[in-house]
Amino acid sequence: MGILIDLDKCNGCGNCIEVCPFGLLELVDDKIQVKEGCNLCRACQEACTYDAILIEAAVEEVEVSDLHRGVWVFAEQRNGKIKGVAYELLSKGRELADTLNAELSAVCFGHNVAEASELTGYGADKVYLVDTPIIKGFEEDLYTAKFVELICQYRPEIVLAGATPMGRSFMPRVAARLRTGLTADCTGLEIDLGRRLLLQTRPTFGGNIMATIICSSKRPQMATVRPRVFKKNTPDKERKGQIIKLDFERGGITSKIKLLDFIEDLTERVKLEDTDIIVSGGRGLGKAENFHLLEELANVMGAALGSSRPPVDEGWIPYSHQVGQTGKTVCPKLYIACGISGAVQHLAGMQTSEIIIAINDNPNAPIFEVATYGIVGDLFKVVPMLIARLKGR
Amino acid sequence: MNIVVCLKQVPGTTEVKIDPQTNTLIREGIKNILNPFDAYALEEGVRLKERCGGRVTAISMGPPQAEEMLREAISLGADEAVLLSDKAFAGADTLATSYTLARAIEKLRQTDLIICGRQTFDGDTGQVGPELAEMLGLPFVAYVSKIEDINKGMHLQRMVEEGHEIIELPLPAVITVVKEINVPRLPSLRGLAKAKSAPIPVWTAEELAIDIDKVGLKGSATRVVKVFSPQRVNRGEILQGEPEEQVKNLISKLGDAGIV
Amino acid sequence: MTEEQKTVRDLARRIAEERILPLRAELDEREEFPWDIVGELASSDLFRIFIPEEYEGLGGGCLELCLAVEELSRVCSGVAITYAASALGALSILEYGTEEQKRRRLPDIASGKRLAAFALTEATAGSDAGAIKTTATKKEGGYVLNGTKQFITNGGEAEIYTVIALTDKERGARGASAFLVEKDTPGFFFGEKEKKMGIRASSTRELIFRNCFILKENLLGKEGMGFIIALRVLDRSRPGVAAQAVGIAQGALEAATDYARQRIQFEHPIISIQAVQHMLADMAIEVEAARALVYSVARTIDSGAKSITEEAAMAKVFASDVAMRVTTNAVQVFGGAGYIRDYPIEKMMRDAKITQIYEGTNQVLRNVIASELRKRRSRQE
């Protein structure tokens, strides 16, 4: 089991050394040796023209019980309002469930979650609702315990949740408690029907490399998905589904964490995730004050203000405006990137926007590769002109 | 306070690409570094120790070369470091990794706080922290941006999308921190001298009293079946001319698209 | 270089590039004292370099100090001189302090908790150091200081000052003594911060003593040793100033070279023009020579040599003249851009000038070198 070099076939050409992303191959006495840490990604096998690399996957212990059926979506909510990512996941989940010929269910924890009934309109056949003041705020311990209980009881084969701070915080706990696999931050989900497997695609190395991952011998197969990666369908209000209200007994569960207060960041007047237009600034702005120029443009267009990482790191604008790998993922109708070079980590957060406009004085800036329309120029000339013209209309 | 910081050595750049012709990975001579997010975790651990006394132990699961990174941790203020290294640990996903780390932490003295960085540069999952907490049966808070009070349990600030929450967390516990929490220090001369000669024990599977089926590739629930380059469709049009022309052109195109 | 010396150099370079470089333009523009950076230097143990181990230092020598000063100067000599001046102040305590005086003050300087400074110069006494007028009148239990010191680096920020004052006007060269004066001593005031041409991050102030009483425990060495202490301490810290000059020159050389590589004129980078190449080559030769001389003198001092006055003077004169030449030529390479404050090079030229002036003007030092040369030759006969 593992990786083996067939020393008879290996001729020491070294092609495989260059392509290993972890630098684990080396030439010793004209033959290739593998260092510790190989995770069998097969990059070397594909590069070897002598068929000298053998990779044997672990013997698949089929612990998969035929009893695991159904696709679940954790419908995250805050203050009674369901997050957009839940609807996006139900839309995608419906597709997956149809392929598997299985049921799609939504699971929602909270208090006074008015919109819970709307979840059926997005494709849910069932909605498991735990509505109680005890879990009004997000407490990892309580959410984890209840979700694990439900999964053990109803045995879904696939569980999806938004890769939000909440999702990325408590889903790993659920997965670890169930000793099953969890793939974070997925941007692609497909079904391998033959093996009833969820093929989970996600970015690694900051988005430079995509990896496809499976969870073959454990159930449920769990994944968190980035918001605004999948589109949400138009809801079908007529669609019928079952709303199953469940009790919550605090009983055995001790939540050790205490939520004392919530302090809202009020500088983000227009919510980045919900707007149709975003005006965003990068290092090219030069200093904090220059965000005023972009604010003016944003006001004229009724847009929200965004930023790449460097201005946030420099303290020119709060983190809540950051778009990118470690910031927010957005998918507006129009994204205007001013003085943003287009590093892969930033693109990860906005490249699915419908129309992307880039204004940058460097013609080689990577942002131009994803821009629908690019202007190579001085943003301090172009933006005021844009503002003037738009005001005039 | 006994603090454990979990560190990972990662490739020094995310600039890894796939050769479109051979569909294989191209890695340009990369140095290995301490995962940048873990630097914040280490710094916070050292600051806490300076504030209330105690020890900081840096721990890492990785290949033998990760020892270099653990020495760096000592030069930055960690009192000691342990490397978990064994062929059996290789190929681990986050589940197997957190299991291995958990067994190692149990072998150390009684720990009050375990700090992890929010995610790694290469894996980007952010899962080891919470899974580790689960393995150890400890409370867990993610995205901590400030540790305010350490008198009865901890008062911390947790970053959420719309702002931040104030949380009270009893110890022992596990937290992950974000980069807003501090500015990591540079090494000190005494730290560098200490790091040079510090003994860094290597614990293998045998030393950890571990269930061999739960570590490494065997203990992983997920595995990678394919790697490829992200598709980037170049659909762009660079608008030509003087700024005035460009702007006029742009607005007209936006008008056509129904946006303005 | 030993491993330890390389470690010092590399760490100082990292601090300079990661923590000082982003701030230097602002520090210069606002003439702000770099407290945050002082904190970084402290937590990295850089202040421990020039303090012996028994006083919580790392026991480094002159070369280690020069390496640190050079690397810091390469990025900002205003920060570097703040660091070096504290070393100068500490040196007087190290060389002439009693056990008690050393134990009381050196650990705090080593930890960077308190900065030190050295005060000799007055309005009427620059090169003519013997013309100082500040007096220290003996009283019951101590001395009363009266007078004003001028152009004191770290003035107002440091907490421990070594002050040279007259204890007996009649005795000429033996008429002065050295004293340790702490910042908040009653009767000890500071003048306004001077507005300087360069090293603007550094604080330069007058020290004003008006019936300032200090205890007799604050006498450094013996009465009458003031000028001897000053001369010897300045001798030993001259390599540090020389290292500062080398650092400035190195920074300017690198900046000029990088600029020349990317500035396109006549369709080529200007570095392909031979005139520019020769300028850069001459600059590089001079920096290398200055560095070699400074390190050589530092090693001589570290080997325990007793008399190093001449060598130290040579290093300082040569390196500072090199710094002035190199930075001036570097501005020239930058052309018009070199005159604009958005570019870092004009600051380096402004910073370089002072190295030819303080810690002994190059003219006075040339006198010293000629005098040593003459003495040596006459001893041969």
Side-chain angles (χ1 to χ4, degrees):
Chain A
M1 191 277 286
I3 180 169
L4 239 110
I5 308 291
D6 184 338
L7 295 172
D8 294 322
K9 290 192 180 151
C10 173
N11 90 333
C13 71
N15 277 349
C16 55
I17 298 180
E18 285 158 23
V19 307
C20 173
F22 306 100
L24 296 175
L25 296 169
E26 56 184 358
L27 205 56
V28 177
D29 296 330
D30 292 330
K31 298 282 179 192
I32 294 294
Q33 259 187 33
V34 188
K35 293 195 264 201
E36 259 183 59
C38 174
N39 75 347
L40 310 182
C41 76
R42 293 173 193 274
C44 55
Q45 199 177 46
E46 288 175 25
C48 179
T49 44
Y50 298 94
D51 284 332
I53 303 182
L54 305 161
I55 293 181
E56 281 165 29
V59 170
E60 321 244 308
E61 324 143 34
V62 185
E63 266 182 41
V64 184
S65 131
D66 264 349
L67 299 175
H68 286 271
R69 276 288 182 274
V71 177
W72 276 21
V73 169
F74 181 79
E76 180 177 333
Q77 62 79 41
R78 184 183 267 284
N79 295 330
K81 196 169 177 338
I82 292 187
K83 291 233 164 128
V85 66
Y87 300 129
E88 294 159 19
L89 289 182
L90 282 172
S91 306
K92 182 69 182 178
R94 183 70 261 165
E95 208 185 284
L96 300 173
D98 287 340
T99 311
L100 288 165
N101 202 12
E103 247 181 16
L104 176 66
S105 309
V107 179
C108 188
F109 297 166
H111 184 50
N112 286 340
V113 189
E115 299 163 1
S117 48
E118 293 181 28
L119 293 167
T120 47
Y122 284 91
D125 299 309
K126 288 198 174 91
V127 177
Y128 296 100
L129 178 62
V130 180
D131 191 320
T132 158
I134 305 171
I135 47 172
K136 183 164 182 267
F138 172 55
E139 284 179 45
E140 267 106 340
D141 295 343
L142 301 180
Y143 273 46
T144 304
K146 191 65 187 174
F147 204 37
V148 166
E149 183 195 308
L150 293 178
I151 291 175
C152 288
Q153 192 181 347
Y154 294 103
R155 286 191 265 209
E157 59 195 304
I158 289 173
V159 173
L160 307 175
T164 60
M166 181 194 286
R168 295 180 79 163
S169 171
F170 95 101
M171 288 286 274
R173 299 210 64 165
V174 172
R177 200 171 292 185
L178 293 170
R179 299 228 145 250
T180 185
L182 170 67
T183 305
D185 222 29
C186 296
T187 51
L189 294 171
E190 302 296 328
I191 298 285
D192 173 341
L193 195 51
R195 295 184 286 170
R196 249 189 133 78
L197 281 181
L198 182 64
L199 301 173
Q200 303 152 62
T201 301
R202 66 179 301 269
T204 59
F205 290 98
N208 274 294
I209 300 284
M210 306 301 284
T212 301
I213 293 162
I214 58 170
C215 173
S216 54
S217 52
K218 299 271 197 271
R219 288 293 178 271
Q221 305 162 83
M222 299 180 65
T224 57
V225 179
R226 274 210 192 138
R228 284 169 292 283
V229 161
F230 297 125
K231 299 255 185 288
K232 71 177 182 214
N233 299 331
T234 14
D236 176 2
K237 304 259 170 147
E238 306 301 309
R239 198 172 186 287
K240 297 261 183 288
Q242 230 188 326
I243 313 282
I244 303 168
K245 291 213 168 99
L246 298 168
D247 290 323
F248 183 84
E249 272 143 39
R250 203 183 176 115
I253 314 166
T254 38
S255 174
K256 304 225 184 89
I257 302 169
K258 210 155 59 180
L259 178 56
L260 299 177
D261 202 357
F262 166 59
I263 297 161
E264 206 177 339
D265 171 17
L266 299 164
T267 65
E268 202 198 329
R269 279 165 291 140
V270 190
K271 285 246 168 266
L272 267 182
E273 300 95 316
D274 302 329
T275 42
D276 285 335
I277 308 178
I278 295 178
V279 173
S280 198
R283 194 187 283 284
L285 282 178
K287 50 184 174 186
E289 291 74 30
N290 292 334
F291 263 105
H292 289 317
L293 179 62
L294 296 192
E295 255 175 4
E296 217 190 310
L297 178 59
N299 286 337
V300 170
M301 301 186 86
L305 194 59
S307 172
S308 64
R309 186 174 155 167
V312 174
D313 282 351
E314 298 284 340
W316 301 346
I317 191 169
Y319 171 72
S320 55
H321 294 262
Q322 184 173 323
V323 173
Q325 177 86 351
T326 47
K328 298 199 166 102
T329 309
V330 297
C331 176
K333 287 208 174 74
L334 175 63
Y335 188 89
I336 307 180
C338 308
I340 294 179
S341 64
V344 137
Q345 290 84 349
H346 182 67
L347 297 184
M350 43 62 73
Q351 63 193 340
T352 54
S353 308
E354 276 178 46
I355 300 180
I356 297 172
I357 297 175
I359 306 171
N360 195 305
D361 60 10
N362 175 8
N364 297 319
I367 190 83
F368 289 118
E369 288 169 35
V370 300
T372 321
Y373 303 114
I375 295 183
V376 178
D378 180 356
L379 75 94
F380 295 108
K381 286 208 180 74
V382 174
V383 174
M385 266 185 216
L386 200 47
I387 294 172
R389 281 201 162 254
L390 287 169
K391 275 192 179 149
R393 285 166 82 95
Chain B
M1 246 189 135
N2 283 328
I3 301 166
V4 170
V5 184
C6 298
L7 307 176
K8 185 180 176 190
Q9 191 185 46
V10 298
T13 177
T14 54
E15 293 306 308
V16 193
K17 291 190 169 42
I18 292 215
D19 181 326
Q21 254 142 11
T22 61
N23 203 39
T24 51
L25 284 145
I26 307 165
R27 199 174 50 82
E28 295 152 30
I30 300 165
K31 227 171 53 104
N32 286 323
I33 57 168
L34 168 64
N35 177 36
F37 291 109
D38 293 347
Y40 297 94
L42 176 61
E43 174 66 25
E44 200 59 28
V46 175
R47 285 190 190 191
L48 273 172
K49 173 192 75 161
E50 287 169 347
R51 236 157 111 183
C52 34
R55 291 183 77 80
V56 173
T57 307
I59 194 170
S60 182
M61 187 188 91
Q65 61 253 33
E67 182 193 303
E68 200 186 304
M69 176 267 298
L70 286 172
R71 287 197 191 280
E72 192 188 332
I74 294 181
S75 78
L76 292 168
D79 295 290
E80 57 187 12
V82 179
L83 176 62
L84 313 176
S85 191
D86 194 316
K87 275 190 162 47
F89 297 157
D93 69 356
T94 57
L95 189 68
T97 304
S98 43
Y99 171 75
T100 312
L101 286 171
R103 297 288 82 81
I105 292 173
E106 279 168 351
K107 196 176 142 111
L108 291 169
R109 69 190 72 77
Q110 164 71 29
T111 307
D112 299 303
L113 180 66
I114 297 156
I115 311 179
C116 304
R118 76 176 261 178
Q119 63 198 65
T120 58
F121 230 34
D122 51 1
D124 282 324
T125 65
Q127 284 170 194
V128 169
E131 290 188 348
L132 180 62
E134 193 53 43
M135 299 279 175
L136 293 168
L138 294 177
F140 168 75
V141 177
Y143 301 114
V144 174
S145 56
K146 191 164 178 205
I147 296 182
E148 289 185 338
D149 198 352
I150 13 186
N151 281 323
K152 277 182 278 180
M154 277 193 159
H155 277 207
L156 352 122
Q157 272 188 28
R158 161 167 72 187
M159 248 174 48
V160 293
E161 287 137 313
E162 310 86 352
H164 60 268
E165 293 171 340
I166 314 286
I167 306 233
E168 187 181 289
L169 177 71
L171 300 180
V174 178
I175 60 171
T176 66
V177 300
V178 290
K179 67 171 175 48
E180 283 73 10
I181 194 169
N182 60 41
V183 176
R185 67 191 62 192
L186 288 169
S188 70
L189 288 173
R190 287 174 301 170
L192 287 165
K194 187 173 168 196
K196 244 173 136 194
S197 55
I200 298 190
V202 178
W203 289 351
T204 60
E206 212 184 299
E207 266 138 322
L208 283 178
I210 219 162
D211 181 346
I212 205 82
D213 290 329
K214 293 199 175 134
V215 302
L217 198 60
K218 225 159 169 233
S220 301
T222 59
R223 61 184 178 87
V224 176
V225 291
K226 195 169 109 174
V227 284
F228 59 96
S229 220
Q231 295 294 71
R232 220 171 324 279
V233 177
N234 190 346
R235 47 203 168 120
E237 184 192 331
I238 306 283
L239 303 177
Q240 300 300 327
E242 290 301 307
E244 274 173 45
E245 237 181 284
Q246 293 168 319
V247 170
K248 208 159 143 221
N249 199 348
L250 179 66
I251 294 186
S252 129
K253 291 210 188 311
L254 291 180
D256 292 341
I259 295 190
V260 294
Chain C
M1 250 187 255
T2 66
E3 278 303 313
E4 284 78 24
Q5 285 162 350
K6 284 198 200 127
T7 305
V8 167
R9 184 199 56 192
D10 293 343
L11 183 58
R13 180 173 296 210
R14 258 192 87 182
I15 296 174
E17 287 177 353
E18 288 180 33
R19 301 295 152 106
I20 304 179
L21 184 57
L23 298 176
R24 67 174 173 189
E26 200 184 317
L27 289 170
D28 179 69
E29 189 71 32
R30 298 217 272 217
E31 298 190 84
E32 241 178 66
F33 189 78
W35 278 117
D36 285 344
I37 296 173
V38 167
E40 299 268 7
L41 297 177
S43 66
S44 286
D45 290 340
L46 250 54
F47 287 104
R48 294 187 199 274
I49 292 177
F50 48 82
I51 307 283
E53 281 177 13
E54 51 267 43
Y55 306 105
E56 296 178 30
L58 291 172
C62 186
L63 183 54
E64 281 83 352
L65 180 60
C66 287
L67 288 169
V69 172
E70 183 189 334
E71 290 299 332
L72 296 177
S73 298
R74 176 176 158 267
V75 171
C76 177
S77 55
V79 173
I81 193 60
T82 301
Y83 169 74
S86 196
L88 171 54
L91 190 59
S92 57
I93 305 175
L94 249 169
E95 302 261 317
Y96 294 96
T98 61
E99 197 51 44
E100 172 63 25
Q101 286 169 331
K102 287 194 258 195
R103 249 185 293 120
R104 262 188 71 196
R105 293 179 177 79
L106 292 181
D108 276 347
I109 297 176
S111 68
K113 202 160 150 220
R114 300 161 98 204
L115 293 171
F118 184 81
L120 170 62
T121 302
E122 297 180 17
T124 54
S127 295
D128 184 7
I132 57 169
K133 288 194 165 62
T134 302
T135 51
T137 315
K138 203 160 182 171
K139 284 278 187 313
E140 178 83 38
Y143 298 83
V144 172
L145 297 173
N146 273 293
T148 306
K149 292 295 183 187
Q150 192 190 50
F151 299 157
I152 306 305
T153 303
N154 287 350
E157 322 288 352
E159 296 191 40
I160 303 170
Y161 296 80
T162 302
V163 180
I164 312 295
L166 290 173
T167 30
D168 188 343
K169 271 184 263 213
E170 310 305 312
R171 298 196 63 202
R174 292 244 159 215
S177 307
F179 298 94
L180 295 174
V181 190
E182 312 254 339
K183 188 175 178 188
D184 291 315
T185 310
F188 180 10
F189 308 98
F190 299 105
E192 287 298 305
K193 192 148 82 157
E194 303 285 2
K195 301 203 249 319
K196 305 191 293 296
M197 172 196 271
I199 54 166
R200 287 159 53 121
S202 158
S203 285
T204 310
R205 288 191 174 89
E206 280 183 341
L207 309 185
I208 303 164
F209 301 100
R210 276 197 216 114
N211 294 325
C212 175
F213 177 75
I214 52 173
L215 295 168
K216 65 174 172 12
E217 287 79 57
N218 287 25
L219 173 66
L220 199 57
K222 291 209 180 57
E223 261 190 48
M225 283 182 70
F227 288 125
I228 295 176
I229 292 177
L231 282 174
R232 180 168 160 86
V233 157
L234 286 169
D235 254 2
R236 300 201 152 245
S237 62
R238 251 171 218 132
V241 177
Q244 182 192 20
V246 172
I248 298 174
Q250 178 68 25
L253 171 62
E254 289 173 7
T257 310
D258 288 343
Y259 184 79
R261 282 167 55 227
Q262 50 94 356
R263 168 69 174 170
I264 310 282
Q265 287 289 270
F266 309 109
E267 290 172 14
H268 293 286
I270 61 174
I271 200 167
S272 47
I273 300 172
Q274 202 174 56
V276 173
Q277 284 170 8
H278 283 194
M279 278 173 84
L280 292 173
D282 286 336
M283 285 155 72
I285 294 168
E286 294 209 295
V287 174
E288 196 59 37
R291 179 179 293 118
L293 181 55
V294 173
Y295 288 7
S296 162
V297 174
R299 289 196 174 103
T300 303
I301 293 177
D302 285 341
S303 70
K306 289 284 186 265
S307 147
I308 43 90
T309 304
E310 192 183 353
E311 294 88 331
M314 286 177 168
K316 194 273 202 190
V317 169
F318 186 65
S320 57
D321 284 349
V322 163
M324 202 59 231
R325 268 199 301 279
V326 166
T327 52
T328 307
N329 283 333
V331 171
Q332 194 70 13
V333 168
F334 267 75
Y339 211 66
I340 307 296
R341 298 221 294 276
D342 288 344
Y343 293 85
I345 197 68
E346 55 82 34
K347 170 182 177 290
M348 295 181 192
M349 183 175 154
R350 283 187 286 113
D351 286 349
K353 187 60 194 165
I354 192 65
T355 60
Q356 292 178 306
I357 298 172
Y358 64 13
E359 298 243 357
T361 62
N362 286 5
Q363 285 66 35
V364 165
L365 293 181
R366 283 184 168 88
N367 282 357
V368 168
I369 295 167
S371 163
E372 292 293 311
L373 185 59
R374 187 176 177 181
K375 270 193 264 176
R376 199 167 50 250
R377 293 312 294 172
S378 71
R379 262 184 263 122
Q380 301 279 27
E381 282 158 15

